[in-house]
Each structure stands twice: as structure tokens, then as C-alpha cells.
Amino acid sequence: MIELLRTFLSIVDRGGVTPAASALHMSQAAASQQIKRLEDQLECRLFERQGRKLELAPAGERLEAQARRLVAQSEELLASMRTAAFEG
């Protein structure tokens, strides 16, 4: 789920699926599929299209802050586990 949240946040930060996919080194279709999977898991729409622009849906707005915290905690966990234990 963390990877799905990373994709979600990248889309939010970059304003669209295509620039987010490029930044994440994946295809636009793969990024779109990840958002679809996340929406299916959460049983709600996260984005709405306003013409050619992608906007956060109310559920996406609620998810954003929590997703940022979870991704940050995940990164902290990985960093702490990769750091050599202090011995001495």
C-alpha cells in the first residue's frame, strides 16, 4: 500500500498522472492502475477531472495528510533499519 500512496502523493505534488509517472520511472498506464487499485482498496474516488485538470476529490483531500505521514514513517523505518547499529 505504501507504493500506492507514493504514487498518489506524486500525482498530487506534480499535478497530473503523466508527470508523476515520469518522476516515478513508470508508464502513465501503470500510475493510473496504481491509483485505481488504491481507490478500489479505499472504496472511494480520490481524483476528479475538471476538463484537462486533475483535482483532488474530497476523499483525496482527507487522504493526503495521512498519506504523507505514513510515507514519511515508512522512509524513517527503512532508513533506521539500513543504518548500521551502534556498537562500542
Side-chain angles (χ1 to χ4, degrees):
M1 176 163 228
I2 291 295
E3 290 308 312
L4 302 179
L5 293 174
R6 283 184 211 282
T7 301
F8 168 76
L9 292 173
S10 185
I11 292 169
V12 170
D13 293 343
R14 287 168 178 81
V17 176
T18 302
S22 179
L24 295 169
H25 307 290
M26 66 174 63
S27 69
Q28 181 273 333
S32 293
Q33 185 61 33
Q34 285 195 345
I35 293 304
K36 173 77 169 104
R37 286 180 49 215
L38 184 58
E39 288 177 333
D40 289 347
Q41 286 181 16
L42 299 176
E43 298 179 351
C44 61
R45 286 193 60 102
L46 300 173
F47 294 99
E48 296 174 352
R49 284 227 172 259
Q50 301 293 336
R52 295 181 61 84
K53 190 173 182 186
L54 202 58
E55 298 279 337
L56 279 175
E61 291 175 2
R62 290 194 317 269
L63 177 63
E64 183 180 2
Q66 292 181 40
R68 290 193 191 281
R69 283 193 297 274
L70 283 171
V71 169
Q73 287 175 334
S74 173
E75 290 170 359
E76 289 173 22
L77 172 69
L78 290 173
S80 71
M81 295 305 294
R82 290 178 179 147
T83 303
F86 179 76
E87 294 183 27

mmCIF file of all heavy atoms in Angstrom, residues 21-60:
data_model
loop_
_atom_site.group_PDB
_atom_site.id
_atom_site.type_symbol
_atom_site.label_atom_id
_atom_site.label_comp_id
_atom_site.label_asym_id
_atom_site.label_seq_id
_atom_site.Cartn_x
_atom_site.Cartn_y
_atom_site.Cartn_z
ATOM 1 N N ALA A 21 4.166 9.885 -13.186
ATOM 2 C CA ALA A 21 4.682 8.621 -13.704
ATOM 3 C C ALA A 21 6.125 8.777 -14.169
ATOM 4 O O ALA A 21 6.973 7.923 -13.894
ATOM 5 C CB ALA A 21 3.797 8.127 -14.849
ATOM 6 N N SER A 22 6.408 9.867 -14.837
ATOM 7 C CA SER A 22 7.773 10.128 -15.293
ATOM 8 C C SER A 22 8.728 10.226 -14.113
ATOM 9 O O SER A 22 9.814 9.642 -14.131
ATOM 10 C CB SER A 22 7.799 11.410 -16.118
ATOM 11 O OG SER A 22 9.099 11.697 -16.543
ATOM 12 N N ALA A 23 8.328 10.945 -13.079
ATOM 13 C CA ALA A 23 9.175 11.097 -11.897
ATOM 14 C C ALA A 23 9.392 9.768 -11.170
ATOM 15 O O ALA A 23 10.443 9.550 -10.561
ATOM 16 C CB ALA A 23 8.559 12.115 -10.934
ATOM 17 N N LEU A 24 8.397 8.889 -11.252
ATOM 18 C CA LEU A 24 8.487 7.588 -10.583
ATOM 19 C C LEU A 24 9.068 6.497 -11.479
ATOM 20 O O LEU A 24 9.148 5.345 -11.077
ATOM 21 C CB LEU A 24 7.093 7.164 -10.106
ATOM 22 C CG LEU A 24 6.475 8.043 -9.026
ATOM 23 C CD1 LEU A 24 5.003 7.699 -8.832
ATOM 24 C CD2 LEU A 24 7.243 7.916 -7.722
ATOM 25 N N HIS A 25 9.438 6.881 -12.713
ATOM 26 C CA HIS A 25 10.028 5.943 -13.681
ATOM 27 C C HIS A 25 9.087 4.785 -13.979
ATOM 28 O O HIS A 25 9.474 3.614 -13.935
ATOM 29 C CB HIS A 25 11.389 5.431 -13.194
ATOM 30 C CG HIS A 25 12.329 6.517 -12.829
ATOM 31 N ND1 HIS A 25 12.900 7.356 -13.755
ATOM 32 C CD2 HIS A 25 12.775 6.962 -11.620
ATOM 33 C CE1 HIS A 25 13.664 8.241 -13.146
ATOM 34 N NE2 HIS A 25 13.590 8.026 -11.843
ATOM 35 N N MET A 26 7.839 5.152 -14.271
ATOM 36 C CA MET A 26 6.856 4.152 -14.676
ATOM 37 C C MET A 26 6.013 4.743 -15.793
ATOM 38 O O MET A 26 6.075 5.943 -16.048
ATOM 39 C CB MET A 26 5.981 3.711 -13.487
ATOM 40 C CG MET A 26 5.089 4.800 -12.930
ATOM 41 S SD MET A 26 3.924 4.238 -11.635
ATOM 42 C CE MET A 26 5.002 3.712 -10.344
ATOM 43 N N SER A 27 5.252 3.917 -16.434
ATOM 44 C CA SER A 27 4.379 4.414 -17.501
ATOM 45 C C SER A 27 3.171 5.117 -16.894
ATOM 46 O O SER A 27 2.810 4.894 -15.738
ATOM 47 C CB SER A 27 3.917 3.254 -18.383
ATOM 48 O OG SER A 27 3.028 2.421 -17.661
ATOM 49 N N GLN A 28 2.538 5.936 -17.737
ATOM 50 C CA GLN A 28 1.317 6.616 -17.307
ATOM 51 C C GLN A 28 0.248 5.580 -16.971
ATOM 52 O O GLN A 28 -0.489 5.725 -16.000
ATOM 53 C CB GLN A 28 0.861 7.578 -18.411
ATOM 54 C CG GLN A 28 -0.389 8.370 -18.086
ATOM 55 C CD GLN A 28 -1.675 7.643 -18.450
ATOM 56 O OE1 GLN A 28 -1.695 6.817 -19.357
ATOM 57 N NE2 GLN A 28 -2.727 7.950 -17.739
ATOM 58 N N ALA A 29 0.178 4.529 -17.749
ATOM 59 C CA ALA A 29 -0.814 3.474 -17.514
ATOM 60 C C ALA A 29 -0.584 2.781 -16.173
ATOM 61 O O ALA A 29 -1.544 2.476 -15.452
ATOM 62 C CB ALA A 29 -0.777 2.457 -18.646
ATOM 63 N N ALA A 30 0.678 2.537 -15.827
ATOM 64 C CA ALA A 30 0.990 1.892 -14.552
ATOM 65 C C ALA A 30 0.595 2.794 -13.375
ATOM 66 O O ALA A 30 0.038 2.315 -12.383
ATOM 67 C CB ALA A 30 2.468 1.535 -14.479
ATOM 68 N N ALA A 31 0.868 4.089 -13.481
ATOM 69 C CA ALA A 31 0.493 5.021 -12.426
ATOM 70 C C ALA A 31 -1.022 5.096 -12.290
ATOM 71 O O ALA A 31 -1.555 5.082 -11.172
ATOM 72 C CB ALA A 31 1.082 6.402 -12.697
ATOM 73 N N SER A 32 -1.725 5.145 -13.413
ATOM 74 C CA SER A 32 -3.184 5.164 -13.388
ATOM 75 C C SER A 32 -3.735 3.893 -12.749
ATOM 76 O O SER A 32 -4.699 3.940 -11.975
ATOM 77 C CB SER A 32 -3.749 5.307 -14.800
ATOM 78 O OG SER A 32 -3.432 6.571 -15.333
ATOM 79 N N GLN A 33 -3.131 2.770 -13.067
ATOM 80 C CA GLN A 33 -3.567 1.490 -12.494
ATOM 81 C C GLN A 33 -3.342 1.470 -10.989
ATOM 82 O O GLN A 33 -4.167 0.945 -10.241
ATOM 83 C CB GLN A 33 -2.836 0.323 -13.160
ATOM 84 C CG GLN A 33 -3.313 -1.032 -12.702
ATOM 85 C CD GLN A 33 -4.779 -1.293 -12.997
ATOM 86 O OE1 GLN A 33 -5.325 -0.827 -13.989
ATOM 87 N NE2 GLN A 33 -5.432 -2.020 -12.127
ATOM 88 N N GLN A 34 -2.243 2.048 -10.525
ATOM 89 C CA GLN A 34 -1.999 2.090 -9.083
ATOM 90 C C GLN A 34 -3.049 2.934 -8.378
ATOM 91 O O GLN A 34 -3.515 2.573 -7.299
ATOM 92 C CB GLN A 34 -0.594 2.603 -8.788
ATOM 93 C CG GLN A 34 0.465 1.570 -9.086
ATOM 94 C CD GLN A 34 1.801 1.913 -8.473
ATOM 95 O OE1 GLN A 34 2.048 3.031 -8.048
ATOM 96 N NE2 GLN A 34 2.670 0.931 -8.416
ATOM 97 N N ILE A 35 -3.431 4.050 -8.981
ATOM 98 C CA ILE A 35 -4.474 4.880 -8.386
ATOM 99 C C ILE A 35 -5.796 4.129 -8.363
ATOM 100 O O ILE A 35 -6.539 4.172 -7.378
ATOM 101 C CB ILE A 35 -4.598 6.233 -9.121
ATOM 102 C CG1 ILE A 35 -3.341 7.057 -8.890
ATOM 103 C CG2 ILE A 35 -5.838 7.002 -8.662
ATOM 104 C CD1 ILE A 35 -2.977 7.299 -7.428
ATOM 105 N N LYS A 36 -6.085 3.399 -9.435
ATOM 106 C CA LYS A 36 -7.305 2.591 -9.476
ATOM 107 C C LYS A 36 -7.299 1.559 -8.360
ATOM 108 O O LYS A 36 -8.311 1.357 -7.674
ATOM 109 C CB LYS A 36 -7.419 1.918 -10.852
ATOM 110 C CG LYS A 36 -8.539 0.923 -10.982
ATOM 111 C CD LYS A 36 -9.878 1.609 -11.156
ATOM 112 C CE LYS A 36 -10.949 0.612 -11.544
ATOM 113 N NZ LYS A 36 -11.847 0.270 -10.471
ATOM 114 N N ARG A 37 -6.175 0.908 -8.139
ATOM 115 C CA ARG A 37 -6.058 -0.090 -7.057
ATOM 116 C C ARG A 37 -6.275 0.565 -5.699
ATOM 117 O O ARG A 37 -6.957 0.002 -4.833
ATOM 118 C CB ARG A 37 -4.695 -0.776 -7.109
ATOM 119 C CG ARG A 37 -4.581 -1.783 -8.247
ATOM 120 C CD ARG A 37 -3.235 -2.477 -8.305
ATOM 121 N NE ARG A 37 -2.824 -3.010 -7.025
ATOM 122 C CZ ARG A 37 -1.546 -3.047 -6.602
ATOM 123 N NH1 ARG A 37 -0.579 -2.583 -7.374
ATOM 124 N NH2 ARG A 37 -1.256 -3.555 -5.439
ATOM 125 N N LEU A 38 -5.680 1.744 -5.503
ATOM 126 C CA LEU A 38 -5.838 2.452 -4.232
ATOM 127 C C LEU A 38 -7.304 2.844 -4.023
ATOM 128 O O LEU A 38 -7.852 2.662 -2.930
ATOM 129 C CB LEU A 38 -4.924 3.679 -4.196
ATOM 130 C CG LEU A 38 -4.895 4.475 -2.901
ATOM 131 C CD1 LEU A 38 -4.465 3.606 -1.715
ATOM 132 C CD2 LEU A 38 -3.961 5.674 -3.046
ATOM 133 N N GLU A 39 -7.939 3.355 -5.072
ATOM 134 C CA GLU A 39 -9.358 3.716 -4.973
ATOM 135 C C GLU A 39 -10.210 2.485 -4.681
ATOM 136 O O GLU A 39 -11.153 2.562 -3.876
ATOM 137 C CB GLU A 39 -9.826 4.396 -6.262
ATOM 138 C CG GLU A 39 -9.274 5.791 -6.441
ATOM 139 C CD GLU A 39 -9.661 6.446 -7.749
ATOM 140 O OE1 GLU A 39 -9.910 5.731 -8.750
ATOM 141 O OE2 GLU A 39 -9.712 7.691 -7.774
ATOM 142 N N ASP A 40 -9.889 1.362 -5.286
ATOM 143 C CA ASP A 40 -10.630 0.125 -5.023
ATOM 144 C C ASP A 40 -10.457 -0.313 -3.570
ATOM 145 O O ASP A 40 -11.426 -0.723 -2.926
ATOM 146 C CB ASP A 40 -10.185 -0.990 -5.961
ATOM 147 C CG ASP A 40 -10.645 -0.782 -7.399
ATOM 148 O OD1 ASP A 40 -11.509 0.097 -7.643
ATOM 149 O OD2 ASP A 40 -10.120 -1.504 -8.287
ATOM 150 N N GLN A 41 -9.240 -0.221 -3.056
ATOM 151 C CA GLN A 41 -8.994 -0.621 -1.671
ATOM 152 C C GLN A 41 -9.713 0.292 -0.684
ATOM 153 O O GLN A 41 -10.243 -0.171 0.324
ATOM 154 C CB GLN A 41 -7.496 -0.628 -1.367
ATOM 155 C CG GLN A 41 -6.754 -1.777 -1.973
ATOM 156 C CD GLN A 41 -5.273 -1.767 -1.628
ATOM 157 O OE1 GLN A 41 -4.833 -1.087 -0.712
ATOM 158 N NE2 GLN A 41 -4.495 -2.535 -2.376
ATOM 159 N N LEU A 42 -9.723 1.583 -0.985
ATOM 160 C CA LEU A 42 -10.339 2.555 -0.076
ATOM 161 C C LEU A 42 -11.830 2.748 -0.353
ATOM 162 O O LEU A 42 -12.517 3.417 0.423
ATOM 163 C CB LEU A 42 -9.611 3.899 -0.192
ATOM 164 C CG LEU A 42 -8.135 3.874 0.182
ATOM 165 C CD1 LEU A 42 -7.510 5.239 -0.069
ATOM 166 C CD2 LEU A 42 -7.945 3.450 1.634
ATOM 167 N N GLU A 43 -12.299 2.182 -1.461
ATOM 168 C CA GLU A 43 -13.706 2.258 -1.866
ATOM 169 C C GLU A 43 -14.192 3.702 -1.997
ATOM 170 O O GLU A 43 -15.245 4.076 -1.477
ATOM 171 C CB GLU A 43 -14.590 1.467 -0.890
ATOM 172 C CG GLU A 43 -14.254 -0.006 -0.851
ATOM 173 C CD GLU A 43 -15.099 -0.802 0.115
ATOM 174 O OE1 GLU A 43 -15.868 -0.213 0.905
ATOM 175 O OE2 GLU A 43 -14.980 -2.035 0.086
ATOM 176 N N CYS A 44 -13.385 4.515 -2.671
ATOM 177 C CA CYS A 44 -13.769 5.911 -2.927
ATOM 178 C C CYS A 44 -12.936 6.461 -4.079
ATOM 179 O O CYS A 44 -11.900 5.913 -4.419
ATOM 180 C CB CYS A 44 -13.570 6.765 -1.680
ATOM 181 S SG CYS A 44 -11.866 6.827 -1.108
ATOM 182 N N ARG A 45 -13.422 7.557 -4.660
ATOM 183 C CA ARG A 45 -12.682 8.271 -5.709
ATOM 184 C C ARG A 45 -11.746 9.260 -5.035
ATOM 185 O O ARG A 45 -12.145 9.976 -4.124
ATOM 186 C CB ARG A 45 -13.635 9.015 -6.635
ATOM 187 C CG ARG A 45 -14.386 8.089 -7.572
ATOM 188 C CD ARG A 45 -15.062 8.875 -8.664
ATOM 189 N NE ARG A 45 -14.075 9.610 -9.448
ATOM 190 C CZ ARG A 45 -13.639 9.238 -10.646
ATOM 191 N NH1 ARG A 45 -14.112 8.144 -11.184
ATOM 192 N NH2 ARG A 45 -12.767 9.956 -11.299
ATOM 193 N N LEU A 46 -10.507 9.299 -5.517
ATOM 194 C CA LEU A 46 -9.509 10.211 -4.947
ATOM 195 C C LEU A 46 -9.314 11.457 -5.792
ATOM 196 O O LEU A 46 -8.908 12.493 -5.276
ATOM 197 C CB LEU A 46 -8.177 9.476 -4.767
ATOM 198 C CG LEU A 46 -8.258 8.265 -3.841
ATOM 199 C CD1 LEU A 46 -6.935 7.507 -3.849
ATOM 200 C CD2 LEU A 46 -8.618 8.695 -2.431
ATOM 201 N N PHE A 47 -9.589 11.352 -7.089
ATOM 202 C CA PHE A 47 -9.412 12.472 -8.010
ATOM 203 C C PHE A 47 -10.673 12.680 -8.833
ATOM 204 O O PHE A 47 -11.418 11.748 -9.086
ATOM 205 C CB PHE A 47 -8.238 12.213 -8.969
ATOM 206 C CG PHE A 47 -6.901 12.159 -8.297
ATOM 207 C CD1 PHE A 47 -6.316 10.944 -7.979
ATOM 208 C CD2 PHE A 47 -6.215 13.327 -7.973
ATOM 209 C CE1 PHE A 47 -5.078 10.889 -7.366
ATOM 210 C CE2 PHE A 47 -4.981 13.280 -7.358
ATOM 211 C CZ PHE A 47 -4.410 12.058 -7.049
ATOM 212 N N GLU A 48 -10.852 13.925 -9.259
ATOM 213 C CA GLU A 48 -11.912 14.280 -10.188
ATOM 214 C C GLU A 48 -11.287 15.076 -11.318
ATOM 215 O O GLU A 48 -10.371 15.862 -11.088
ATOM 216 C CB GLU A 48 -12.974 15.140 -9.495
ATOM 217 C CG GLU A 48 -13.701 14.421 -8.385
ATOM 218 C CD GLU A 48 -14.643 15.324 -7.611
ATOM 219 O OE1 GLU A 48 -14.631 16.555 -7.837
ATOM 220 O OE2 GLU A 48 -15.371 14.799 -6.769
ATOM 221 N N ARG A 49 -11.784 14.864 -12.525
ATOM 222 C CA ARG A 49 -11.294 15.630 -13.676
ATOM 223 C C ARG A 49 -12.120 16.893 -13.815
ATOM 224 O O ARG A 49 -13.341 16.866 -13.762
ATOM 225 C CB ARG A 49 -11.409 14.806 -14.944
ATOM 226 C CG ARG A 49 -10.335 13.762 -15.037
ATOM 227 C CD ARG A 49 -9.715 13.790 -16.420
ATOM 228 N NE ARG A 49 -8.569 12.920 -16.447
ATOM 229 C CZ ARG A 49 -7.317 13.340 -16.364
ATOM 230 N NH1 ARG A 49 -7.052 14.614 -16.275
ATOM 231 N NH2 ARG A 49 -6.320 12.491 -16.393
ATOM 232 N N GLN A 50 -11.437 18.010 -13.966
ATOM 233 C CA GLN A 50 -12.062 19.294 -14.263
ATOM 234 C C GLN A 50 -11.515 19.722 -15.623
ATOM 235 O O GLN A 50 -10.478 20.377 -15.691
ATOM 236 C CB GLN A 50 -11.719 20.332 -13.187
ATOM 237 C CG GLN A 50 -12.152 19.957 -11.790
ATOM 238 C CD GLN A 50 -13.657 19.913 -11.643
ATOM 239 O OE1 GLN A 50 -14.387 20.556 -12.391
ATOM 240 N NE2 GLN A 50 -14.126 19.138 -10.686
ATOM 241 N N GLY A 51 -12.177 19.276 -16.686
ATOM 242 C CA GLY A 51 -11.645 19.491 -18.024
ATOM 243 C C GLY A 51 -10.388 18.665 -18.199
ATOM 244 O O GLY A 51 -10.409 17.459 -18.043
ATOM 245 N N ARG A 52 -9.281 19.332 -18.468
ATOM 246 C CA ARG A 52 -7.995 18.630 -18.613
ATOM 247 C C ARG A 52 -7.219 18.598 -17.297
ATOM 248 O O ARG A 52 -6.150 18.002 -17.226
ATOM 249 C CB ARG A 52 -7.164 19.309 -19.695
ATOM 250 C CG ARG A 52 -7.788 19.193 -21.079
ATOM 251 C CD ARG A 52 -6.954 19.834 -22.151
ATOM 252 N NE ARG A 52 -5.632 19.257 -22.311
ATOM 253 C CZ ARG A 52 -5.337 18.185 -23.032
ATOM 254 N NH1 ARG A 52 -6.308 17.541 -23.657
ATOM 255 N NH2 ARG A 52 -4.109 17.765 -23.145
ATOM 256 N N LYS A 53 -7.769 19.224 -16.268
ATOM 257 C CA LYS A 53 -7.078 19.328 -14.984
ATOM 258 C C LYS A 53 -7.567 18.254 -14.011
ATOM 259 O O LYS A 53 -8.739 17.911 -13.983
ATOM 260 C CB LYS A 53 -7.321 20.716 -14.398
ATOM 261 C CG LYS A 53 -6.478 21.039 -13.208
ATOM 262 C CD LYS A 53 -6.673 22.485 -12.806
ATOM 263 C CE LYS A 53 -5.776 22.791 -11.623
ATOM 264 N NZ LYS A 53 -6.013 24.117 -11.105
ATOM 265 N N LEU A 54 -6.643 17.734 -13.218
ATOM 266 C CA LEU A 54 -6.950 16.728 -12.216
ATOM 267 C C LEU A 54 -7.037 17.412 -10.858
ATOM 268 O O LEU A 54 -6.102 18.101 -10.446
ATOM 269 C CB LEU A 54 -5.834 15.675 -12.215
ATOM 270 C CG LEU A 54 -6.129 14.303 -11.671
ATOM 271 C CD1 LEU A 54 -7.277 13.662 -12.431
ATOM 272 C CD2 LEU A 54 -4.899 13.429 -11.787
ATOM 273 N N GLU A 55 -8.153 17.247 -10.177
ATOM 274 C CA GLU A 55 -8.375 17.852 -8.857
ATOM 275 C C GLU A 55 -8.578 16.751 -7.835
ATOM 276 O O GLU A 55 -9.110 15.685 -8.146
ATOM 277 C CB GLU A 55 -9.632 18.733 -8.887
ATOM 278 C CG GLU A 55 -9.573 19.890 -9.845
ATOM 279 C CD GLU A 55 -8.826 21.076 -9.292
ATOM 280 O OE1 GLU A 55 -8.719 21.196 -8.050
ATOM 281 O OE2 GLU A 55 -8.343 21.887 -10.106
ATOM 282 N N LEU A 56 -8.196 17.030 -6.590
ATOM 283 C CA LEU A 56 -8.478 16.080 -5.519
ATOM 284 C C LEU A 56 -9.970 16.060 -5.229
ATOM 285 O O LEU A 56 -10.602 17.109 -5.099
ATOM 286 C CB LEU A 56 -7.734 16.471 -4.241
ATOM 287 C CG LEU A 56 -6.273 16.076 -4.139
ATOM 288 C CD1 LEU A 56 -5.658 16.647 -2.876
ATOM 289 C CD2 LEU A 56 -6.115 14.570 -4.163
ATOM 290 N N ALA A 57 -10.513 14.877 -5.097
ATOM 291 C CA ALA A 57 -11.880 14.712 -4.628
ATOM 292 C C ALA A 57 -11.846 14.899 -3.107
ATOM 293 O O ALA A 57 -10.765 14.891 -2.490
ATOM 294 C CB ALA A 57 -12.378 13.312 -4.985
ATOM 295 N N PRO A 58 -12.986 15.078 -2.462
ATOM 296 C CA PRO A 58 -12.990 15.229 -1.004
ATOM 297 C C PRO A 58 -12.256 14.101 -0.269
ATOM 298 O O PRO A 58 -11.508 14.351 0.685
ATOM 299 C CB PRO A 58 -14.482 15.256 -0.653
ATOM 300 C CG PRO A 58 -15.121 15.848 -1.878
ATOM 301 C CD PRO A 58 -14.324 15.289 -3.033
ATOM 302 N N ALA A 59 -12.426 12.869 -0.732
ATOM 303 C CA ALA A 59 -11.716 11.748 -0.098
ATOM 304 C C ALA A 59 -10.204 11.875 -0.293
ATOM 305 O O ALA A 59 -9.428 11.538 0.605
ATOM 306 C CB ALA A 59 -12.214 10.425 -0.663
ATOM 307 N N GLY A 60 -9.784 12.357 -1.464
ATOM 308 C CA GLY A 60 -8.364 12.571 -1.718
ATOM 309 C C GLY A 60 -7.789 13.631 -0.799
ATOM 310 O O GLY A 60 -6.654 13.510 -0.327
#
